Amino acid sequence: QAASQLGIPKARASAQVARLEQELGAPLLQRSTRTVRPTPEGEALLDRAHALLAQADELSSMFQDQGGVRGRVRLA
């Protein structure tokens, strides 16, 4: 389902998850013939990722239009 939402092939999504699991040294998904569920490690990673993305959005918004100087500039 994630691959579909991202518009990428399932094989690519699976390879990316497998690579991430290998880098972290922990299984992130529990796979069975009928379902795929996050492991406790996968849940922890997801929670932390959401927090980091929220912080990044907050940081980005600090530097966006804050009602700065406006008006015409005349150069001679």
Side-chain angles (χ1 to χ4, degrees), residues 3-68:
S4 171
Q5 289 177 357
L6 293 171
I8 62 173
K10 289 180 187 180
R12 183 173 174 201
S14 293
Q16 293 292 335
V17 170
R19 192 185 103 231
L20 184 57
E21 288 176 326
Q22 185 176 7
E23 284 180 19
L24 297 175
L28 301 175
L29 298 174
Q30 181 179 7
R31 299 160 182 89
S32 73
T33 55
R34 294 181 184 219
T35 62
V36 177
R37 293 184 185 171
T39 62
E41 294 87 353
E43 289 281 352
L45 177 70
L46 183 61
D47 290 343
R48 184 69 175 131
H50 281 295
L52 289 171
L53 288 171
Q55 288 177 350
D57 286 343
E58 182 182 327
L59 182 63
S60 177
S61 69
M62 287 174 52
F63 298 101
Q64 291 178 355
D65 185 26
Q66 298 179 0

